[in-house]
Amino acid sequence: VVTDDQVQRFFAATEAAWQEIEPWANELRDLSERLEGRENPSVSDVLAGVQNVGRFAESRTVLARALEQSRMSSGEFIWTGLSLTRAHTGLSGSGQASGIPAENLALAERYREEIAAISGDSGADRVAILGLAAMWGMADENTWRALGLDTLYGR
């Protein structure tokens, strides 16, 4: 069951990371739109692409800093985010609320707008933060353990 404290820290970490990553995401989106349908990108477009690859690697540091400020491990962050988005989906009337703790459904109702902003429902790109956390965090054994999947390590 997700606690209100975890929800608050999850949103704080998401927002802190998004504040740094949003300009990069916007630049990457603009670059992608400029390059759409072009066969021969300009040198400046290629350099912009290379710069964004470097920023992608830097996103791990940004995320680590946001998690540290919010006192969350990557495993707790991913678990909380997945639990909230699952509960949010369960509230949508799709009949998928089965197996979701009532406490999580109540939190999803209480934070409906905030969850929509990080789940991609409202067109917001903050869902990228959860995706980055999953990608970077899955390399960490503690993340697997926090998700209850430590048997993948043969222990």
Side-chain angles (χ1 to χ4, degrees):
V1 173
V2 178
T3 67
D4 193 62
D5 177 62
Q6 286 172 311
V7 172
Q8 294 297 321
R9 290 183 294 123
F10 173 81
F11 287 134
T14 299
E15 193 58 34
W18 183 244
Q19 290 300 313
E20 289 191 58
I21 291 175
E22 183 180 24
W24 307 343
N26 291 338
E27 286 177 30
L28 189 57
R29 183 178 28 253
D30 293 345
L31 176 62
S32 177
E33 289 171 2
R34 276 198 321 269
L35 294 177
E36 190 173 323
R38 288 176 52 185
E39 291 182 28
N40 298 315
S42 68
V43 171
S44 64
D45 288 337
V46 170
L47 291 174
V50 169
Q51 181 181 21
N52 274 295
V53 169
R55 287 178 172 165
F56 177 73
E58 189 179 337
S59 69
R60 185 174 190 165
T61 303
V62 169
L63 182 60
R65 191 169 40 248
L67 292 174
E68 183 178 350
Q69 289 171 354
S70 298
R71 302 173 335 274
M72 286 192 102
S73 69
S74 59
E76 182 184 16
F77 181 83
I78 295 165
W79 178 83
T80 301
L82 293 176
S83 296
L84 287 174
T85 55
R86 182 171 178 242
H88 178 73
T89 301
L91 289 176
S92 69
S94 62
Q96 299 299 321
S98 175
I100 300 172
E103 297 91 334
N104 289 4
L105 291 169
L107 284 172
E109 180 63 41
R110 181 173 167 195
Y111 294 102
R112 185 182 291 265
E113 289 180 27
E114 293 89 339
I115 297 168
I118 58 99
S119 65
D121 289 356
S122 66
D125 296 324
R126 284 174 176 78
V127 69
I129 303 302
L130 186 55
L132 287 169
M135 183 192 70
W136 292 125
M138 288 303 158
D140 179 14
E141 181 177 346
N142 292 325
T143 298
W144 289 104
R145 202 172 289 126
L147 294 173
L149 301 172
D150 60 324
T151 56
L152 293 173
Y153 283 93
R155 296 189 184 111

